[in-house]
PDB file of all heavy atoms in Angstrom:
ATOM      1  N   PRO A   1      -0.340 -19.889  25.343  1.00  0.00           N
ATOM      2  CA  PRO A   1      -0.293 -19.813  26.811  1.00  0.00           C
ATOM      3  C   PRO A   1      -1.049 -20.918  27.466  1.00  0.00           C
ATOM      4  O   PRO A   1      -0.851 -21.176  28.642  1.00  0.00           O
ATOM      5  CB  PRO A   1      -0.909 -18.449  27.095  1.00  0.00           C
ATOM      6  CG  PRO A   1      -1.761 -18.139  25.922  1.00  0.00           C
ATOM      7  CD  PRO A   1      -1.132 -18.801  24.761  1.00  0.00           C
ATOM      8  N   ASP A   2      -1.887 -21.638  26.748  1.00  0.00           N
ATOM      9  CA  ASP A   2      -2.648 -22.732  27.371  1.00  0.00           C
ATOM     10  C   ASP A   2      -1.868 -24.039  27.383  1.00  0.00           C
ATOM     11  O   ASP A   2      -2.339 -25.016  27.950  1.00  0.00           O
ATOM     12  CB  ASP A   2      -3.975 -22.925  26.621  1.00  0.00           C
ATOM     13  CG  ASP A   2      -4.850 -21.674  26.689  1.00  0.00           C
ATOM     14  OD1 ASP A   2      -4.791 -20.994  27.749  1.00  0.00           O
ATOM     15  OD2 ASP A   2      -5.547 -21.442  25.712  1.00  0.00           O
ATOM     16  N   VAL A   3      -0.699 -24.105  26.740  1.00  0.00           N
ATOM     17  CA  VAL A   3       0.092 -25.349  26.675  1.00  0.00           C
ATOM     18  C   VAL A   3       1.338 -25.156  27.509  1.00  0.00           C
ATOM     19  O   VAL A   3       2.134 -24.246  27.262  1.00  0.00           O
ATOM     20  CB  VAL A   3       0.488 -25.694  25.230  1.00  0.00           C
ATOM     21  CG1 VAL A   3       1.310 -26.962  25.221  1.00  0.00           C
ATOM     22  CG2 VAL A   3      -0.775 -25.871  24.394  1.00  0.00           C
ATOM     23  N   ALA A   4       1.489 -25.976  28.555  1.00  0.00           N
ATOM     24  CA  ALA A   4       2.667 -25.866  29.447  1.00  0.00           C
ATOM     25  C   ALA A   4       3.906 -26.362  28.749  1.00  0.00           C
ATOM     26  O   ALA A   4       3.848 -27.350  28.024  1.00  0.00           O
ATOM     27  CB  ALA A   4       2.442 -26.664  30.729  1.00  0.00           C
ATOM     28  N   PRO A   5       4.993 -25.659  28.948  1.00  0.00           N
ATOM     29  CA  PRO A   5       6.253 -26.142  28.343  1.00  0.00           C
ATOM     30  C   PRO A   5       6.686 -27.453  28.975  1.00  0.00           C
ATOM     31  O   PRO A   5       6.372 -27.756  30.127  1.00  0.00           O
ATOM     32  CB  PRO A   5       7.254 -25.011  28.633  1.00  0.00           C
ATOM     33  CG  PRO A   5       6.709 -24.322  29.845  1.00  0.00           C
ATOM     34  CD  PRO A   5       5.211 -24.436  29.733  1.00  0.00           C
ATOM     35  N   SER A   6       7.466 -28.243  28.253  1.00  0.00           N
ATOM     36  CA  SER A   6       7.916 -29.563  28.762  1.00  0.00           C
ATOM     37  C   SER A   6       8.867 -29.372  29.942  1.00  0.00           C
ATOM     38  O   SER A   6       9.685 -28.465  29.967  1.00  0.00           O
ATOM     39  CB  SER A   6       8.590 -30.360  27.637  1.00  0.00           C
ATOM     40  OG  SER A   6       9.751 -29.682  27.198  1.00  0.00           O
ATOM     41  N   ASP A   7       8.804 -30.276  30.967  1.00  0.00           N
ATOM     42  CA  ASP A   7       9.675 -30.239  32.188  1.00  0.00           C
ATOM     43  C   ASP A   7      10.913 -31.073  31.916  1.00  0.00           C
ATOM     44  O   ASP A   7      10.807 -32.275  31.681  1.00  0.00           O
ATOM     45  CB  ASP A   7       8.887 -30.790  33.368  1.00  0.00           C
ATOM     46  CG  ASP A   7       9.632 -30.559  34.667  1.00  0.00           C
ATOM     47  OD1 ASP A   7      10.841 -30.186  34.645  1.00  0.00           O
ATOM     48  OD2 ASP A   7       9.035 -30.784  35.745  1.00  0.00           O
ATOM     49  N   PRO A   8      12.077 -30.426  31.939  1.00  0.00           N
ATOM     50  CA  PRO A   8      13.302 -31.208  31.653  1.00  0.00           C
ATOM     51  C   PRO A   8      13.498 -32.323  32.642  1.00  0.00           C
ATOM     52  O   PRO A   8      14.139 -33.311  32.347  1.00  0.00           O
ATOM     53  CB  PRO A   8      14.425 -30.164  31.753  1.00  0.00           C
ATOM     54  CG  PRO A   8      13.754 -28.826  31.696  1.00  0.00           C
ATOM     55  CD  PRO A   8      12.356 -29.031  32.167  1.00  0.00           C
ATOM     56  N   ARG A   9      13.049 -32.196  33.890  1.00  0.00           N
ATOM     57  CA  ARG A   9      13.301 -33.239  34.893  1.00  0.00           C
ATOM     58  C   ARG A   9      12.602 -34.527  34.536  1.00  0.00           C
ATOM     59  O   ARG A   9      13.009 -35.601  34.936  1.00  0.00           O
ATOM     60  CB  ARG A   9      12.808 -32.733  36.260  1.00  0.00           C
ATOM     61  CG  ARG A   9      13.673 -31.592  36.814  1.00  0.00           C
ATOM     62  CD  ARG A   9      13.107 -31.028  38.079  1.00  0.00           C
ATOM     63  NE  ARG A   9      11.839 -30.369  37.816  1.00  0.00           N
ATOM     64  CZ  ARG A   9      11.129 -29.784  38.766  1.00  0.00           C
ATOM     65  NH1 ARG A   9      11.522 -29.816  40.020  1.00  0.00           N
ATOM     66  NH2 ARG A   9       9.982 -29.183  38.464  1.00  0.00           N
ATOM     67  N   LYS A  10      11.500 -34.423  33.717  1.00  0.00           N
ATOM     68  CA  LYS A  10      10.824 -35.652  33.324  1.00  0.00           C
ATOM     69  C   LYS A  10      11.632 -36.443  32.336  1.00  0.00           C
ATOM     70  O   LYS A  10      11.514 -37.639  32.236  1.00  0.00           O
ATOM     71  CB  LYS A  10       9.452 -35.319  32.712  1.00  0.00           C
ATOM     72  CG  LYS A  10       8.507 -34.703  33.728  1.00  0.00           C
ATOM     73  CD  LYS A  10       7.161 -34.404  33.093  1.00  0.00           C
ATOM     74  CE  LYS A  10       6.213 -33.786  34.088  1.00  0.00           C
ATOM     75  NZ  LYS A  10       4.889 -33.482  33.505  1.00  0.00           N
ATOM     76  N   ASP A  11      12.463 -35.762  31.572  1.00  0.00           N
ATOM     77  CA  ASP A  11      13.286 -36.470  30.585  1.00  0.00           C
ATOM     78  C   ASP A  11      14.625 -36.915  31.150  1.00  0.00           C
ATOM     79  O   ASP A  11      15.350 -37.655  30.525  1.00  0.00           O
ATOM     80  CB  ASP A  11      13.526 -35.555  29.369  1.00  0.00           C
ATOM     81  CG  ASP A  11      12.224 -35.143  28.720  1.00  0.00           C
ATOM     82  OD1 ASP A  11      11.295 -35.981  28.743  1.00  0.00           O
ATOM     83  OD2 ASP A  11      12.176 -34.026  28.210  1.00  0.00           O
ATOM     84  N   ALA A  12      15.019 -36.387  32.365  1.00  0.00           N
ATOM     85  CA  ALA A  12      16.346 -36.725  32.922  1.00  0.00           C
ATOM     86  C   ALA A  12      16.289 -38.084  33.587  1.00  0.00           C
ATOM     87  O   ALA A  12      15.232 -38.536  34.046  1.00  0.00           O
ATOM     88  CB  ALA A  12      16.754 -35.654  33.942  1.00  0.00           C
ATOM     89  N   PRO A  13      17.420 -38.771  33.661  1.00  0.00           N
ATOM     90  CA  PRO A  13      17.461 -40.085  34.353  1.00  0.00           C
ATOM     91  C   PRO A  13      17.124 -39.898  35.805  1.00  0.00           C
ATOM     92  O   PRO A  13      17.434 -38.894  36.430  1.00  0.00           O
ATOM     93  CB  PRO A  13      18.915 -40.535  34.173  1.00  0.00           C
ATOM     94  CG  PRO A  13      19.453 -39.731  33.036  1.00  0.00           C
ATOM     95  CD  PRO A  13      18.715 -38.435  33.086  1.00  0.00           C
ATOM     96  N   VAL A  14      16.543 -40.943  36.395  1.00  0.00           N
ATOM     97  CA  VAL A  14      16.170 -40.910  37.812  1.00  0.00           C
ATOM     98  C   VAL A  14      17.373 -41.288  38.648  1.00  0.00           C
ATOM     99  O   VAL A  14      18.018 -42.307  38.399  1.00  0.00           O
ATOM    100  CB  VAL A  14      15.009 -41.880  38.080  1.00  0.00           C
ATOM    101  CG1 VAL A  14      14.645 -41.866  39.562  1.00  0.00           C
ATOM    102  CG2 VAL A  14      13.806 -41.495  37.223  1.00  0.00           C
ATOM    103  N   SER A  15      17.712 -40.457  39.667  1.00  0.00           N
ATOM    104  CA  SER A  15      18.867 -40.738  40.527  1.00  0.00           C
ATOM    105  C   SER A  15      18.581 -41.913  41.433  1.00  0.00           C
ATOM    106  O   SER A  15      17.445 -42.120  41.873  1.00  0.00           O
ATOM    107  CB  SER A  15      19.193 -39.505  41.393  1.00  0.00           C
ATOM    108  OG  SER A  15      19.516 -38.409  40.593  1.00  0.00           O
ATOM    109  N   THR A  16      19.653 -42.708  41.732  1.00  0.00           N
ATOM    110  CA  THR A  16      19.515 -43.830  42.675  1.00  0.00           C
ATOM    111  C   THR A  16      19.531 -43.274  44.069  1.00  0.00           C
ATOM    112  O   THR A  16      19.925 -42.143  44.321  1.00  0.00           O
ATOM    113  CB  THR A  16      20.651 -44.838  42.485  1.00  0.00           C
ATOM    114  OG1 THR A  16      21.873 -44.192  42.795  1.00  0.00           O
ATOM    115  CG2 THR A  16      20.699 -45.360  41.065  1.00  0.00           C
ATOM    116  N   ALA A  17      19.189 -44.152  45.020  1.00  0.00           N
ATOM    117  CA  ALA A  17      19.110 -43.699  46.417  1.00  0.00           C
ATOM    118  C   ALA A  17      20.458 -43.285  46.949  1.00  0.00           C
ATOM    119  O   ALA A  17      20.562 -42.462  47.840  1.00  0.00           O
ATOM    120  CB  ALA A  17      18.516 -44.815  47.289  1.00  0.00           C
ATOM    121  N   SER A  18      21.547 -43.840  46.390  1.00  0.00           N
ATOM    122  CA  SER A  18      22.879 -43.532  46.928  1.00  0.00           C
ATOM    123  C   SER A  18      23.432 -42.235  46.396  1.00  0.00           C
ATOM    124  O   SER A  18      24.427 -41.730  46.884  1.00  0.00           O
ATOM    125  CB  SER A  18      23.859 -44.664  46.581  1.00  0.00           C
ATOM    126  OG  SER A  18      23.970 -44.789  45.181  1.00  0.00           O
ATOM    127  N   GLU A  19      22.806 -41.653  45.314  1.00  0.00           N
ATOM    128  CA  GLU A  19      23.335 -40.436  44.732  1.00  0.00           C
ATOM    129  C   GLU A  19      22.722 -39.238  45.430  1.00  0.00           C
ATOM    130  O   GLU A  19      21.565 -39.239  45.828  1.00  0.00           O
ATOM    131  CB  GLU A  19      23.009 -40.377  43.246  1.00  0.00           C
ATOM    132  CG  GLU A  19      23.752 -41.448  42.436  1.00  0.00           C
ATOM    133  CD  GLU A  19      23.286 -41.426  40.996  1.00  0.00           C
ATOM    134  OE1 GLU A  19      22.161 -40.981  40.732  1.00  0.00           O
ATOM    135  OE2 GLU A  19      24.072 -41.847  40.128  1.00  0.00           O
ATOM    136  N   GLN A  20      23.521 -38.192  45.611  1.00  0.00           N
ATOM    137  CA  GLN A  20      23.049 -36.973  46.232  1.00  0.00           C
ATOM    138  C   GLN A  20      22.765 -35.955  45.132  1.00  0.00           C
ATOM    139  O   GLN A  20      23.614 -35.734  44.260  1.00  0.00           O
ATOM    140  CB  GLN A  20      24.108 -36.410  47.191  1.00  0.00           C
ATOM    141  CG  GLN A  20      24.451 -37.343  48.349  1.00  0.00           C
ATOM    142  CD  GLN A  20      23.264 -37.537  49.245  1.00  0.00           C
ATOM    143  OE1 GLN A  20      22.479 -36.605  49.435  1.00  0.00           O
ATOM    144  NE2 GLN A  20      23.087 -38.759  49.755  1.00  0.00           N
ATOM    145  N   PRO A  21      21.574 -35.320  45.138  1.00  0.00           N
ATOM    146  CA  PRO A  21      21.260 -34.319  44.105  1.00  0.00           C
ATOM    147  C   PRO A  21      22.154 -33.111  44.262  1.00  0.00           C
ATOM    148  O   PRO A  21      22.497 -32.722  45.370  1.00  0.00           O
ATOM    149  CB  PRO A  21      19.787 -33.963  44.394  1.00  0.00           C
ATOM    150  CG  PRO A  21      19.622 -34.290  45.845  1.00  0.00           C
ATOM    151  CD  PRO A  21      20.492 -35.474  46.112  1.00  0.00           C
ATOM    152  N   PRO A  22      22.609 -32.523  43.163  1.00  0.00           N
ATOM    153  CA  PRO A  22      23.487 -31.358  43.243  1.00  0.00           C
ATOM    154  C   PRO A  22      22.724 -30.177  43.802  1.00  0.00           C
ATOM    155  O   PRO A  22      21.537 -30.021  43.590  1.00  0.00           O
ATOM    156  CB  PRO A  22      23.901 -31.131  41.785  1.00  0.00           C
ATOM    157  CG  PRO A  22      22.797 -31.727  40.984  1.00  0.00           C
ATOM    158  CD  PRO A  22      22.291 -32.893  41.782  1.00  0.00           C
ATOM    159  N   THR A  23      23.475 -29.374  44.553  1.00  0.00           N
ATOM    160  CA  THR A  23      22.889 -28.150  45.083  1.00  0.00           C
ATOM    161  C   THR A  23      23.061 -27.027  44.080  1.00  0.00           C
ATOM    162  O   THR A  23      23.806 -27.139  43.110  1.00  0.00           O
ATOM    163  CB  THR A  23      23.547 -27.773  46.411  1.00  0.00           C
ATOM    164  OG1 THR A  23      24.923 -27.490  46.172  1.00  0.00           O
ATOM    165  CG2 THR A  23      23.461 -28.911  47.423  1.00  0.00           C
ATOM    166  N   ALA A  24      22.421 -25.875  44.354  1.00  0.00           N
ATOM    167  CA  ALA A  24      22.521 -24.717  43.442  1.00  0.00           C
ATOM    168  C   ALA A  24      23.935 -24.228  43.341  1.00  0.00           C
ATOM    169  O   ALA A  24      24.373 -23.755  42.302  1.00  0.00           O
ATOM    170  CB  ALA A  24      21.592 -23.604  43.944  1.00  0.00           C
ATOM    171  N   GLU A  25      24.669 -24.356  44.477  1.00  0.00           N
ATOM    172  CA  GLU A  25      26.063 -23.883  44.434  1.00  0.00           C
ATOM    173  C   GLU A  25      26.926 -24.734  43.535  1.00  0.00           C
ATOM    174  O   GLU A  25      27.947 -24.300  43.003  1.00  0.00           O
ATOM    175  CB  GLU A  25      26.633 -23.875  45.850  1.00  0.00           C
ATOM    176  CG  GLU A  25      26.065 -22.791  46.755  1.00  0.00           C
ATOM    177  CD  GLU A  25      24.739 -23.201  47.343  1.00  0.00           C
ATOM    178  OE1 GLU A  25      24.287 -24.309  47.012  1.00  0.00           O
ATOM    179  OE2 GLU A  25      24.138 -22.434  48.112  1.00  0.00           O
ATOM    180  N   ASP A  26      26.545 -26.065  43.405  1.00  0.00           N
ATOM    181  CA  ASP A  26      27.377 -26.976  42.611  1.00  0.00           C
ATOM    182  C   ASP A  26      27.140 -26.814  41.110  1.00  0.00           C
ATOM    183  O   ASP A  26      27.987 -27.163  40.293  1.00  0.00           O
ATOM    184  CB  ASP A  26      27.074 -28.412  43.008  1.00  0.00           C
ATOM    185  CG  ASP A  26      27.467 -28.662  44.461  1.00  0.00           C
ATOM    186  OD1 ASP A  26      28.489 -28.072  44.911  1.00  0.00           O
ATOM    187  OD2 ASP A  26      26.791 -29.458  45.146  1.00  0.00           O
ATOM    188  N   LEU A  27      25.921 -26.318  40.672  1.00  0.00           N
ATOM    189  CA  LEU A  27      25.595 -26.259  39.254  1.00  0.00           C
ATOM    190  C   LEU A  27      26.222 -25.034  38.604  1.00  0.00           C
ATOM    191  O   LEU A  27      26.297 -23.952  39.216  1.00  0.00           O
ATOM    192  CB  LEU A  27      24.066 -26.183  39.072  1.00  0.00           C
ATOM    193  CG  LEU A  27      23.309 -27.460  39.519  1.00  0.00           C
ATOM    194  CD1 LEU A  27      21.819 -27.230  39.372  1.00  0.00           C
ATOM    195  CD2 LEU A  27      23.783 -28.645  38.717  1.00  0.00           C
ATOM    196  N   PRO A  28      26.626 -25.146  37.336  1.00  0.00           N
ATOM    197  CA  PRO A  28      27.207 -23.988  36.639  1.00  0.00           C
ATOM    198  C   PRO A  28      26.119 -22.952  36.339  1.00  0.00           C
ATOM    199  O   PRO A  28      24.970 -23.285  36.084  1.00  0.00           O
ATOM    200  CB  PRO A  28      27.777 -24.580  35.349  1.00  0.00           C
ATOM    201  CG  PRO A  28      26.991 -25.825  35.134  1.00  0.00           C
ATOM    202  CD  PRO A  28      26.654 -26.368  36.505  1.00  0.00           C
ATOM    203  N   THR A  29      26.526 -21.711  36.419  1.00  0.00           N
ATOM    204  CA  THR A  29      25.593 -20.601  36.120  1.00  0.00           C
ATOM    205  C   THR A  29      25.587 -20.318  34.615  1.00  0.00           C
ATOM    206  O   THR A  29      26.648 -20.126  34.023  1.00  0.00           O
ATOM    207  CB  THR A  29      26.014 -19.345  36.879  1.00  0.00           C
ATOM    208  OG1 THR A  29      26.017 -19.668  38.295  1.00  0.00           O
ATOM    209  CG2 THR A  29      25.058 -18.200  36.611  1.00  0.00           C
ATOM    210  N   LEU A  30      24.378 -20.315  33.936  1.00  0.00           N
ATOM    211  CA  LEU A  30      24.261 -20.072  32.503  1.00  0.00           C
ATOM    212  C   LEU A  30      23.671 -18.675  32.287  1.00  0.00           C
ATOM    213  O   LEU A  30      22.590 -18.362  32.787  1.00  0.00           O
ATOM    214  CB  LEU A  30      23.337 -21.108  31.841  1.00  0.00           C
ATOM    215  CG  LEU A  30      23.780 -22.574  32.014  1.00  0.00           C
ATOM    216  CD1 LEU A  30      22.780 -23.482  31.328  1.00  0.00           C
ATOM    217  CD2 LEU A  30      25.178 -22.763  31.410  1.00  0.00           C
ATOM    218  N   ARG A  31      24.406 -17.855  31.633  1.00  0.00           N
ATOM    219  CA  ARG A  31      23.918 -16.495  31.355  1.00  0.00           C
ATOM    220  C   ARG A  31      23.505 -16.431  29.867  1.00  0.00           C
ATOM    221  O   ARG A  31      24.341 -16.569  28.979  1.00  0.00           O
ATOM    222  CB  ARG A  31      25.013 -15.463  31.645  1.00  0.00           C
ATOM    223  CG  ARG A  31      25.400 -15.445  33.113  1.00  0.00           C
ATOM    224  CD  ARG A  31      26.387 -14.326  33.412  1.00  0.00           C
ATOM    225  NE  ARG A  31      26.746 -14.329  34.788  1.00  0.00           N
ATOM    226  CZ  ARG A  31      26.023 -13.732  35.759  1.00  0.00           C
ATOM    227  NH1 ARG A  31      24.905 -13.095  35.420  1.00  0.00           N
ATOM    228  NH2 ARG A  31      26.433 -13.769  37.010  1.00  0.00           N
ATOM    229  N   LEU A  32      22.132 -16.205  29.523  1.00  0.00           N
ATOM    230  CA  LEU A  32      21.605 -16.164  28.156  1.00  0.00           C
ATOM    231  C   LEU A  32      21.336 -14.707  27.752  1.00  0.00           C
ATOM    232  O   LEU A  32      20.922 -13.884  28.586  1.00  0.00           O
ATOM    233  CB  LEU A  32      20.287 -16.956  28.075  1.00  0.00           C
ATOM    234  CG  LEU A  32      20.421 -18.440  28.483  1.00  0.00           C
ATOM    235  CD1 LEU A  32      19.053 -19.097  28.419  1.00  0.00           C
ATOM    236  CD2 LEU A  32      21.422 -19.154  27.579  1.00  0.00           C
ATOM    237  N   PRO A  33      21.517 -14.406  26.508  1.00  0.00           N
ATOM    238  CA  PRO A  33      21.267 -13.021  26.058  1.00  0.00           C
ATOM    239  C   PRO A  33      19.767 -12.702  26.092  1.00  0.00           C
ATOM    240  O   PRO A  33      18.941 -13.551  25.750  1.00  0.00           O
ATOM    241  CB  PRO A  33      21.801 -13.008  24.616  1.00  0.00           C
ATOM    242  CG  PRO A  33      21.775 -14.436  24.198  1.00  0.00           C
ATOM    243  CD  PRO A  33      22.014 -15.255  25.417  1.00  0.00           C
ATOM    244  N   GLN A  34      19.437 -11.498  26.549  1.00  0.00           N
ATOM    245  CA  GLN A  34      18.026 -11.082  26.620  1.00  0.00           C
ATOM    246  C   GLN A  34      17.666 -10.163  25.400  1.00  0.00           C
ATOM    247  O   GLN A  34      18.482  -9.363  24.982  1.00  0.00           O
ATOM    248  CB  GLN A  34      17.784 -10.321  27.927  1.00  0.00           C
ATOM    249  CG  GLN A  34      17.998 -11.204  29.167  1.00  0.00           C
ATOM    250  CD  GLN A  34      17.660 -10.441  30.426  1.00  0.00           C
ATOM    251  OE1 GLN A  34      17.335  -9.260  30.363  1.00  0.00           O
ATOM    252  NE2 GLN A  34      17.733 -11.138  31.546  1.00  0.00           N
ATOM    253  N   GLN A  35      16.405 -10.322  24.923  1.00  0.00           N
ATOM    254  CA  GLN A  35      15.947  -9.488  23.800  1.00  0.00           C
ATOM    255  C   GLN A  35      15.248  -8.222  24.324  1.00  0.00           C
ATOM    256  O   GLN A  35      14.589  -8.258  25.348  1.00  0.00           O
ATOM    257  CB  GLN A  35      14.932 -10.258  22.933  1.00  0.00           C
ATOM    258  CG  GLN A  35      15.556 -11.474  22.276  1.00  0.00           C
ATOM    259  CD  GLN A  35      14.520 -12.204  21.448  1.00  0.00           C
ATOM    260  OE1 GLN A  35      13.340 -11.789  21.390  1.00  0.00           O
ATOM    261  NE2 GLN A  35      14.919 -13.231  20.758  1.00  0.00           N
TER     262      GLN A  35
END
């Protein structure tokens, strides 16, 4: 619990000024099985 998990946004490419970030409505919904 003392080690923060890695942030995926740090590994993703940086968007240029002309690109618009996707909204929540545009991203696909991922449903994972729960234990």
